[in-house]
Amino acid sequence: AGGSWSLPDRSDLGMDLSAVLESEIGHDALLIIENLQTFDDIHTVDPEVMGNLSARDPLVIYRGDTQGGARADAVHALIRGTGLPVFAFVDFDPAGLVIASGLPRLNQVLAPPLQDLAAIIQARGIAKRYLEQVAMAAHAMQQIQGDARTGPLWHVIHAAGKALPQEYFHRHAK
């Protein structure tokens, strides 16, 4: 294990965490993706978003969920077990910002320029999704608002009163 992996589009590799950490990871960053569909289609994400990633060869990681085999706690352990920069691409909603803010050593949340994001959320955002999540995320809002990596995104989302799934930025989704 360890090393660097280059896989065909829409493929992934499941590995035991201890096997990954037993030797140096040959990538220059960790890119944590919230949704499985975006993880599978990362190669289709708009350059307006991916162009903000300063790393050139990140290890792309699905953050896990309750139904799949990947687990969020294993992702956190992977982050803590490396010294690599951490980037996140999450939904532009309260739950996505909670996920991003909880990542150890988060460097940046990938997003288009804020003024573009504001216009897109205003035009294509989902108010119901925002309203369903905002109360559940109340416990983390102070931390999110005060964080330079998540606060500006929260301001855009909150001002619109809408959420936007990350899948919007798949080139084939528009």
Side-chain angles (χ1 to χ4, degrees):
S4 176
W5 305 279
S6 182
L7 302 173
D9 290 348
R10 296 195 54 78
S11 64
D12 63 78
L13 179 63
M15 295 180 70
D16 181 75
L17 179 60
S18 60
V20 173
L21 292 174
E22 70 186 21
S23 60
E24 186 174 340
I25 295 174
H27 294 269
D28 61 354
L30 304 175
L31 174 56
I32 313 303
I33 307 296
E34 178 178 357
N35 298 331
L36 184 57
Q37 183 66 47
T38 298
F39 174 78
D40 286 342
D41 292 333
I42 192 67
H43 60 283
T44 72
V45 174
D46 196 310
E48 181 181 30
V49 174
M50 296 306 289
N52 293 316
L53 178 64
S54 58
R56 293 297 132 219
D57 185 28
L59 178 58
V60 181
I61 302 163
Y62 172 53
R63 66 107 188 163
D65 60 30
T66 56
Q67 296 93 291
R71 296 189 342 244
D73 62 327
V75 171
H76 286 224
L78 174 64
I79 293 168
R80 286 190 299 274
T82 74
L84 295 172
V86 177
F87 298 88
F89 182 40
V90 297
D91 289 334
F92 297 97
D93 59 24
L97 294 181
V98 168
I99 289 167
S101 70
L103 293 172
R105 291 194 342 273
L106 177 67
N107 288 67
Q108 179 186 0
V109 178
L110 297 185
L114 289 177
Q115 64 274 19
D116 295 348
L117 181 61
I120 293 166
I121 288 179
Q122 200 56 254
R124 305 287 301 267
I126 305 165
K128 182 179 183 213
R129 182 176 181 149
Y130 169 84
L131 293 171
E132 289 172 351
Q133 292 183 12
V134 73
M136 292 186 305
H139 69 281
M141 281 302 115
Q142 186 174 2
Q143 176 184 341
I144 288 169
Q145 291 172 15
D147 188 321
R149 299 160 300 181
T150 55
L153 295 169
W154 167 247
H155 178 73
V156 167
I157 294 165
H158 184 64
K162 296 179 179 181
L164 187 72
Q166 65 185 164
E167 289 85 356
Y168 173 84
F169 293 100
H170 297 197
R171 286 189 296 264
H172 62 271
K174 293 184 183 177

